[in-house]
Amino acid sequence: MKNICLIAGIIVVLVMLLIILCVYYNKALKCVYYKIPKEGIPHDFRGNKIVLLTDLHESEFGKNNRRLIEKIDKEHPDYIMIAGDMLVKGRKMKTNKTLYLLENLSKRYPIYYAPGNHEEYLEQLFGNGEYKEFIQKLTKLGVKYLANDSAFLKKGNSQIAVTGLHLQKRYFAKFYEKVTFDVENMTELLGAPKGEYQILLAHNPNYFDVYERWGADLVLSGHVHGGIVILPFLGGVISTTYELFPKYDFGMFQEENARMVLSKGLGVHTIKLRLFNVPEISVITLGEESTCEK
């Protein structure tokens, strides 16, 4: 009987500890720094700083995202780029927290926003009504919403193209479902790469090799939530497509001539679990020696 009580007590303590850790890792927040080497980057843009946000899922860090905003402001970025899933798919469309955050940030920074699979879902459900109104509000704030579209950063006689990839639902299939996505598909959606240097905002990192062959120089991604649980030496445990120990979990990756910064993202949804996985603001400096914190 004593052994049973002891085991039950240990289980209760472990469950409580797990709950405490999950609450902490859901609400903690840190900046992770990446430096992109100068090769190919126009001279006028070297030293410029990008803050990458992804996978907020209508979460808050402090009232009205005060902590998130303060951390971004301390970095003094030249640009804010969003790689999708700021919203949460569902039968109701909730945008208040995202819009408040972007309203605040857009007063100080140019913002470029590409959709993720949650935006794709909501667009299919509310495309002619609430989702259209959401895009109109973004436009009114000055946010460049890039759904298979491009914008250009210009300095001096140089320019960088920023292209947002908007993939349909079928390209976010589970890892065991066979889906073909190749350079031909990319070109159909986006045309040819543009600008002296091509930044691609692509929510799904799993097609990184295709992005590189298409012509992306720097890919900014999310979607995987850092592998949800991160283990020492092993990395992210499971992706959002249910793949164990995914190749692309978080950090910086290289494929031939392209680099990809894959953020752990900010928020959670449905199963509100992050473990040993602090929500991330990715701070990317262009034109310096290639390093990152992982």
Side-chain angles (χ1 to χ4, degrees):
M1 186 67 179
K2 288 183 179 179
N3 288 339
I4 294 174
C5 290
L6 179 61
I7 292 170
I10 291 172
I11 291 172
V12 169
V13 170
L14 290 175
V15 169
M16 290 178 65
L17 180 60
L18 181 62
I19 292 171
I20 291 169
L21 286 173
C22 286
V23 170
Y24 168 75
Y25 282 105
N26 283 355
K27 291 301 181 182
L29 189 62
K30 71 181 290 187
C31 292
V32 180
Y33 298 89
Y34 303 86
K35 296 181 179 179
I36 309 300
K38 63 184 179 181
E39 286 75 19
I41 297 174
H43 187 272
D44 291 329
F45 290 94
R46 293 177 187 175
N48 279 197
K49 190 182 289 186
I50 297 168
V51 159
L52 167 64
L53 304 177
T54 183
D55 299 285
L56 180 68
H57 293 298
E58 275 286 287
S59 298
E60 272 190 318
F61 296 87
K63 184 175 176 59
N64 294 324
N65 269 309
R66 176 181 52 82
R67 288 197 295 124
L68 177 56
I69 291 167
E70 287 176 354
K71 279 189 174 290
I72 292 171
D73 283 340
K74 286 181 180 178
E75 296 300 327
H76 303 291
D78 296 281
Y79 310 99
I80 292 177
M81 299 191 185
I82 295 171
D85 277 12
M86 299 295 277
L87 308 179
V88 182
K89 66 182 181 181
R91 295 183 179 180
K92 293 184 179 180
M93 186 164 166
K94 299 178 181 179
T95 63
N96 289 347
K97 294 172 184 176
T98 296
L99 285 172
Y100 184 91
L101 173 67
L102 297 184
E103 180 181 8
N104 185 298
L105 294 174
S106 66
K107 295 173 183 177
R108 299 180 297 288
Y109 314 108
I111 301 176
Y112 302 84
Y113 183 152
N117 55 301
H118 282 248
E119 283 91 354
E120 159 67 11
Y121 178 95
L122 291 168
E123 183 177 15
Q124 294 303 312
L125 204 60
F126 303 106
N128 293 324
E130 292 175 84
Y131 196 82
K132 185 177 180 180
E133 291 175 10
F134 172 65
I135 301 304
Q136 290 172 343
K137 288 176 181 177
L138 292 179
T139 302
K140 189 174 180 179
L141 293 175
V143 175
K144 299 290 192 300
Y145 184 76
L146 303 175
N148 294 334
D149 200 0
S150 298
F152 296 91
L153 315 180
K154 296 182 180 181
K155 284 192 174 183
N157 295 319
S158 302
Q159 70 176 14
I160 288 177
V162 181
T163 300
L165 178 62
H166 182 187
L167 291 177
Q168 294 177 312
K169 179 182 176 181
R170 67 177 180 273
Y171 294 119
F172 291 95
K174 306 310 178 192
F175 80 96
Y176 48 80
E177 298 172 322
K178 301 300 180 183
V179 177
T180 299
F181 184 74
D182 54 27
V183 176
E184 183 177 346
N185 298 127
M186 281 281 289
T187 305
E188 287 176 358
L189 292 172
L190 302 177
K194 303 164 180 69
E196 298 173 56
Y197 189 81
Q198 175 68 67
I199 295 176
L200 179 69
L201 306 180
H203 185 66
N204 191 341
N206 292 327
Y207 305 117
F208 180 35
D209 62 324
V210 177
Y211 305 154
E212 187 277 333
R213 287 186 282 116
W214 172 74
D217 296 297
L218 176 61
V219 179
L220 306 182
S221 288
H223 187 52
V224 184
H225 294 202
I228 301 175
V229 176
I230 296 176
L231 297 179
F233 309 110
L234 296 176
V237 172
I238 186 169
S239 76
T240 47
T241 60
Y242 306 143
E243 180 182 5
L244 289 174
F245 300 105
K247 176 181 178 180
Y248 301 123
D249 51 2
F250 61 91
M252 185 153 67
F253 300 86
Q254 184 167 355
E255 183 82 35
E256 295 296 331
N257 298 315
R259 284 175 172 78
M260 176 171 69
V261 173
L262 174 53
S263 175
K264 300 183 194 78
L266 291 162
V268 290
H269 67 91
T270 312
I271 300 174
K272 299 186 181 299
L273 174 64
R274 297 179 77 103
L275 197 55
F276 312 118
N277 180 5
V278 178
E280 174 179 331
I281 301 167
S282 307
V283 183
I284 303 159
T285 305
L286 301 177
E288 296 190 11
E289 290 303 314
S290 177
T291 59
C292 72
E293 177 184 333
K294 183 170 181 177

